[in-house]
mmCIF file of all heavy atoms in Angstrom:
data_model
loop_
_atom_site.group_PDB
_atom_site.id
_atom_site.type_symbol
_atom_site.label_atom_id
_atom_site.label_comp_id
_atom_site.label_asym_id
_atom_site.label_seq_id
_atom_site.Cartn_x
_atom_site.Cartn_y
_atom_site.Cartn_z
ATOM 1 N N VAL B 13 20.613 0.948 20.171
ATOM 2 C CA VAL B 13 21.717 1.217 19.248
ATOM 3 C C VAL B 13 22.327 2.574 19.575
ATOM 4 O O VAL B 13 21.613 3.517 19.948
ATOM 5 C CB VAL B 13 21.201 1.216 17.791
ATOM 6 C CG1 VAL B 13 22.263 1.674 16.822
ATOM 7 C CG2 VAL B 13 20.689 -0.165 17.416
ATOM 8 N N GLN B 14 23.610 2.663 19.402
ATOM 9 C CA GLN B 14 24.268 3.939 19.636
ATOM 10 C C GLN B 14 24.079 4.860 18.440
ATOM 11 O O GLN B 14 24.067 4.426 17.272
ATOM 12 C CB GLN B 14 25.764 3.721 19.892
ATOM 13 C CG GLN B 14 26.504 4.969 20.348
ATOM 14 C CD GLN B 14 27.933 4.675 20.748
ATOM 15 O OE1 GLN B 14 28.560 3.747 20.231
ATOM 16 N NE2 GLN B 14 28.467 5.443 21.684
ATOM 17 N N GLU B 15 23.945 6.131 18.729
ATOM 18 C CA GLU B 15 23.812 7.156 17.688
ATOM 19 C C GLU B 15 24.949 7.028 16.685
ATOM 20 O O GLU B 15 26.109 6.845 17.046
ATOM 21 C CB GLU B 15 23.823 8.533 18.334
ATOM 22 C CG GLU B 15 23.657 9.687 17.362
ATOM 23 C CD GLU B 15 23.640 11.034 18.063
ATOM 24 O OE1 GLU B 15 23.862 11.085 19.293
ATOM 25 O OE2 GLU B 15 23.394 12.048 17.379
ATOM 26 N N GLY B 16 24.605 7.112 15.390
ATOM 27 C CA GLY B 16 25.600 7.034 14.340
ATOM 28 C C GLY B 16 25.820 5.639 13.793
ATOM 29 O O GLY B 16 26.354 5.471 12.693
ATOM 30 N N ARG B 17 25.414 4.617 14.571
ATOM 31 C CA ARG B 17 25.592 3.237 14.112
ATOM 32 C C ARG B 17 24.369 2.804 13.304
ATOM 33 O O ARG B 17 23.382 3.527 13.170
ATOM 34 C CB ARG B 17 25.779 2.310 15.321
ATOM 35 C CG ARG B 17 26.877 2.732 16.274
ATOM 36 C CD ARG B 17 28.256 2.643 15.636
ATOM 37 N NE ARG B 17 28.698 1.278 15.458
ATOM 38 C CZ ARG B 17 29.459 0.610 16.322
ATOM 39 N NH1 ARG B 17 29.852 1.178 17.440
ATOM 40 N NH2 ARG B 17 29.840 -0.630 16.054
ATOM 41 N N ILE B 18 24.422 1.595 12.784
ATOM 42 C CA ILE B 18 23.311 1.061 12.007
ATOM 43 C C ILE B 18 22.291 0.380 12.918
ATOM 44 O O ILE B 18 22.668 -0.323 13.864
ATOM 45 C CB ILE B 18 23.822 0.067 10.931
ATOM 46 C CG1 ILE B 18 22.683 -0.412 10.043
ATOM 47 C CG2 ILE B 18 24.546 -1.111 11.577
ATOM 48 C CD1 ILE B 18 23.142 -1.234 8.846
ATOM 49 N N SER B 19 21.024 0.615 12.637
ATOM 50 C CA SER B 19 19.947 -0.125 13.299
ATOM 51 C C SER B 19 19.368 -1.093 12.279
ATOM 52 O O SER B 19 19.081 -0.702 11.145
ATOM 53 C CB SER B 19 18.832 0.812 13.772
ATOM 54 O OG SER B 19 19.279 1.698 14.758
ATOM 55 N N ILE B 20 19.188 -2.332 12.687
ATOM 56 C CA ILE B 20 18.595 -3.339 11.810
ATOM 57 C C ILE B 20 17.397 -3.957 12.518
ATOM 58 O O ILE B 20 17.531 -4.575 13.573
ATOM 59 C CB ILE B 20 19.607 -4.437 11.441
ATOM 60 C CG1 ILE B 20 20.804 -3.834 10.711
ATOM 61 C CG2 ILE B 20 18.920 -5.496 10.544
ATOM 62 C CD1 ILE B 20 21.907 -4.828 10.383
ATOM 63 N N LEU B 21 16.227 -3.741 11.943
ATOM 64 C CA LEU B 21 15.003 -4.295 12.508
ATOM 65 C C LEU B 21 14.518 -5.405 11.577
ATOM 66 O O LEU B 21 14.494 -5.238 10.357
ATOM 67 C CB LEU B 21 13.934 -3.224 12.657
ATOM 68 C CG LEU B 21 14.248 -2.127 13.683
ATOM 69 C CD1 LEU B 21 15.002 -0.977 13.046
ATOM 70 C CD2 LEU B 21 12.965 -1.623 14.328
ATOM 71 N N ASN B 22 14.126 -6.510 12.162
ATOM 72 C CA ASN B 22 13.785 -7.692 11.380
ATOM 73 C C ASN B 22 12.307 -8.054 11.462
ATOM 74 O O ASN B 22 11.640 -7.753 12.455
ATOM 75 C CB ASN B 22 14.617 -8.883 11.843
ATOM 76 C CG ASN B 22 16.082 -8.696 11.556
ATOM 77 O OD1 ASN B 22 16.480 -8.452 10.425
ATOM 78 N ND2 ASN B 22 16.912 -8.804 12.593
ATOM 79 N N CYS B 23 11.849 -8.727 10.415
ATOM 80 C CA CYS B 23 10.443 -9.119 10.334
ATOM 81 C C CYS B 23 10.367 -10.402 9.507
ATOM 82 O O CYS B 23 11.014 -10.495 8.448
ATOM 83 C CB CYS B 23 9.647 -7.986 9.685
ATOM 84 S SG CYS B 23 7.900 -8.285 9.508
ATOM 85 N N ASP B 24 9.612 -11.364 9.977
ATOM 86 C CA ASP B 24 9.404 -12.614 9.246
ATOM 87 C C ASP B 24 7.917 -12.788 8.947
ATOM 88 O O ASP B 24 7.080 -12.355 9.733
ATOM 89 C CB ASP B 24 9.901 -13.806 10.072
ATOM 90 C CG ASP B 24 11.386 -13.738 10.332
ATOM 91 O OD1 ASP B 24 12.147 -13.784 9.358
ATOM 92 O OD2 ASP B 24 11.770 -13.637 11.517
ATOM 93 N N TYR B 25 7.624 -13.418 7.841
ATOM 94 C CA TYR B 25 6.226 -13.662 7.506
ATOM 95 C C TYR B 25 6.053 -15.099 7.035
ATOM 96 O O TYR B 25 7.016 -15.768 6.657
ATOM 97 C CB TYR B 25 5.725 -12.666 6.455
ATOM 98 C CG TYR B 25 6.437 -12.735 5.119
ATOM 99 C CD1 TYR B 25 5.911 -13.471 4.061
ATOM 100 C CD2 TYR B 25 7.620 -12.032 4.919
ATOM 101 C CE1 TYR B 25 6.549 -13.515 2.839
ATOM 102 C CE2 TYR B 25 8.266 -12.076 3.688
ATOM 103 C CZ TYR B 25 7.730 -12.807 2.657
ATOM 104 O OH TYR B 25 8.369 -12.869 1.449
#
Side-chain angles (χ1 to χ4, degrees):
Chain B
V13 172
Q14 189 173 29
E15 181 179 6
R17 307 294 288 266
I18 184 172
S19 296
I20 300 176
L21 294 89
N22 294 305
C23 180
D24 297 297
Y25 62 96

